Amino acid sequence: MRDIFKDEQGCMEAKNISQAFFLSLFLVFYGGKAMKIYVKESKSLSIQTVSLMFYDSVTIVPLLSLDDVLYSDLIIVSQSDVSSMTGLEEYHVIIYEQLFQELSARVYQEYYNNHDYYYLKNALQQALDTSITTLISGSSYGAFGIDLAYIENAVNLSSISQDLYYSIKLLCQACETNKNIKNIVLCVGHYCFFSDLSLAKTPSELQRISKVYYPLLHDSHNCLILPPKDEYYMQGNLIDLEKVITTYATADYKDGFFNEKRPRNRCATVVWNAVSKSWSELSAEEKDKAGKTRAESHNKIIKHTASFNENLSVFQDFVYFCNDRGINLLLTAMPASSQYLKYLTPEYKNIFYSVLDKVDGTVHLLDLVEDSSFDNNFDFNDTDHLSDSGARKLSQMISSILHEINN
């Protein structure tokens, strides 16, 4: 690994770190011998910066003289300082910018392949803070439909494809620790009692359990065999990838589920042929066709009677859970476009209300599925998920209703 940054003339230059060399940093360096990492500090490079990448047990010290460096040690230096230093070719040297680039690529790959896991992990952690008094959960309807800027002291535990079972499981886990929860907003569609993520037919959907819910809750529900998740994660004795990812995930969480790097309008459920068009750009005919496609995908699950019966029990237990703790449960049936509702089987609405009629306990209902105040063009991101403007509108409604319930 010596001379990794030497060119043909013996001069130091920044070349891409080889895959083998980078991977070696995750192993016990040189068979586990004691080593130090020396850092040539500069305006762009400090020991504090480097320390964010490595385990706390690794000794990281400033580079004052090459005479202090042993053969088994590692030197990290900024590209801007390479040309002014002599004798580096005799040591194991890494250009900081190259190391950062390689590490960033792996962190980015791991984080965005498992975004929902890291988001919910941070959300659950925040939900334990006693300053939080309102919890929100649900499927993608809750993820897209809520703007926390308009709801005080709230945490959103909603996520893509999250069913009733896992939504409630997350809520209960948070409430077991945070005894200050006063309100719970459960975001659903009229068909929610028929959904069971763990019985999904596609590996990509089941993989959500492998990637998100099993790691968080240690619960695979009705899934007997979980598909393996894609692994981008590496563990070793030098670079602390978990610490780096945790730092990145925490910072990204503060910006919200949707932010400048992950805008809501780029995460639409595109079920139309002109994929380059946004929902608002579609013709009336294209919207109608998309609404039909999306509604028919939901209509199929009405035959899942076993899931329906289980969800009834899960929901009833959750109502008892909330009532026993004095928590206001606001069940919110989320808005949908007229193009989608046109093809959604009306049986769902009838069954939804028959369930609520039979539930023992207090449930506050906000049914906005057919609410005409949501504009079909601008308040939706696709057939049945809200846009930025729709999320603001809905969140303001919820905030107002929670205020009424609590006063």
Side-chain angles (χ1 to χ4, degrees):
M1 288 183 287
R2 295 175 67 183
D3 303 335
I4 194 168
F5 296 113
K6 285 181 68 176
D7 63 14
E8 294 178 355
Q9 286 73 43
C11 299
M12 298 292 291
E13 64 174 10
K15 295 182 179 179
N16 289 332
I17 296 175
S18 70
Q19 179 81 358
F21 182 70
F22 183 83
L23 291 176
S24 74
L25 292 176
F26 286 87
L27 305 176
V28 180
F29 205 73
Y30 294 128
K33 294 181 180 179
M35 64 165 293
K36 292 181 180 179
I37 295 179
Y38 285 89
V39 178
K40 174 59 178 176
E41 294 191 288
S42 62
K43 290 183 179 179
S44 59
L45 179 59
S46 66
I47 288 179
Q48 183 180 11
T49 302
V50 172
S51 297
L52 294 174
M53 301 181 182
F54 294 87
Y55 284 103
D56 295 337
S57 59
V58 177
T59 302
I60 303 174
V61 295
L63 178 64
L64 302 178
S65 170
L66 291 177
D67 294 337
D68 300 326
V69 184
L70 301 178
Y71 180 83
S72 60
D73 294 331
L74 181 67
I75 297 174
I76 297 180
V77 60
S78 174
Q79 172 61 40
S80 60
D81 289 330
V82 169
S83 60
S84 63
M85 299 180 67
T86 58
L88 286 178
E89 63 274 6
E90 299 299 324
Y91 301 92
H92 303 287
V93 180
I94 287 182
I95 304 296
Y96 170 72
E97 288 80 2
Q98 292 293 337
L99 175 61
F100 183 82
Q101 181 181 11
E102 293 285 345
L103 186 58
S104 295
R106 284 159 177 78
V107 168
Y108 184 90
Q109 194 173 33
E110 162 66 19
Y111 178 75
Y112 283 100
N113 185 61
N114 295 286
H115 170 269
D116 293 359
Y117 164 74
Y118 288 108
Y119 173 84
L120 285 177
K121 182 180 179 181
N122 277 288
L124 268 176
Q125 185 61 42
Q126 186 187 10
L128 304 183
D129 191 316
T130 54
S131 66
I132 299 301
T133 56
T134 296
L135 296 179
I136 302 161
S137 193
S139 65
S140 53
Y141 291 159
F144 278 83
I146 298 297
D147 188 334
L148 289 177
Y150 298 91
I151 305 177
E152 293 183 349
N153 304 320
V155 167
N156 192 354
L157 297 169
S158 304
S159 191
I160 310 300
S161 294
Q162 186 168 284
D163 60 12
L164 193 66
Y165 178 84
Y166 282 122
S167 295
I168 288 175
K169 191 93 174 180
L170 289 166
L171 290 166
C172 290
Q173 181 164 311
C175 290
E176 290 293 352
T177 300
N178 186 354
K179 307 300 183 182
N180 285 349
I181 299 300
K182 297 178 180 178
N183 312 298
I184 286 177
V185 181
L186 189 55
C187 303
V188 300
H190 281 160
Y191 60 85
C192 67
F193 294 108
F194 292 89
S195 297
D196 184 343
L197 178 62
S198 66
L199 295 178
K201 302 299 183 183
T202 61
S204 61
E205 284 295 280
L206 285 178
Q207 203 176 51
R208 292 184 183 277
I209 299 177
S210 306
K211 294 164 63 174
V212 181
Y213 301 105
Y214 192 80
L216 283 175
L217 303 170
H218 306 292
D219 186 343
S220 58
H221 195 195
N222 292 317
C223 184
L224 299 178
I225 302 177
L226 285 175
K229 65 176 184 177
D230 300 326
E231 290 289 353
Y232 301 102
Y233 196 86
M234 292 183 290
Q235 289 181 312
N237 297 318
L238 283 179
I239 291 182
D240 189 346
L241 191 60
E242 182 177 358
K243 180 168 67 174
V244 178
I245 292 173
T246 297
T247 300
Y248 184 88
T250 300
D252 189 67
Y253 174 76
K254 292 177 181 178
D255 292 334
F257 192 92
F258 296 108
N259 49 52
E260 290 183 0
K261 292 176 288 186
R262 183 184 168 90
R264 194 182 259 101
N265 61 4
R266 290 187 187 175
C267 299
T269 301
V270 178
V271 292
W272 50 88
N273 294 329
V275 294
S276 62
K277 289 184 179 180
S278 67
W279 171 254
S280 61
E281 294 172 331
L282 297 179
S283 67
E285 182 180 356
E286 288 173 318
K287 286 181 178 176
D288 188 78
K289 186 176 180 180
K292 183 179 181 181
T293 299
R294 178 69 169 166
E296 287 179 346
S297 70
H298 288 154
N299 290 340
K300 295 177 182 178
I301 67 171
I302 200 168
K303 61 185 179 182
H304 296 167
T305 55
S307 296
F308 175 77
N309 291 327
E310 182 187 18
N311 280 323
L312 287 185
S313 177
V314 169
F315 184 69
Q316 178 62 79
D317 288 345
F318 185 59
V319 173
Y320 287 144
F321 179 92
C322 292
N323 288 179
D324 290 345
R325 288 163 176 74
I327 298 173
N328 301 309
L329 174 58
L330 178 61
L331 186 65
T332 304
M334 303 292 278
S337 70
S338 59
Q339 293 89 346
Y340 167 82
L341 295 175
K342 177 181 177 181
Y343 296 101
L344 188 70
T345 176
E347 290 181 70
Y348 279 134
K349 181 178 180 179
N350 297 333
I351 295 171
F352 181 82
Y353 274 92
S354 69
V355 168
L356 296 183
D357 286 340
K358 296 174 184 177
V359 166
D360 181 22
T362 301
V363 179
H364 301 277
L365 176 64
L366 175 61
D367 191 340
L368 299 172
V369 172
E370 300 172 0
D371 194 302
S372 60
S373 64
F374 290 87
D375 187 281
N376 271 320
N377 289 319
F378 303 109
D379 286 334
F380 288 93
N381 213 30
D382 50 50
T383 62
D384 54 328
H385 294 102
L386 292 175
S387 64
D388 288 337
S389 62
R392 288 193 296 270
K393 188 179 294 185
L394 174 66
S395 300
Q396 288 171 333
M397 287 183 179
I398 289 175
S399 179
S400 177
I401 290 171
L402 291 179
H403 181 75
E404 290 179 13
I405 292 174
N406 285 282
N407 292 283

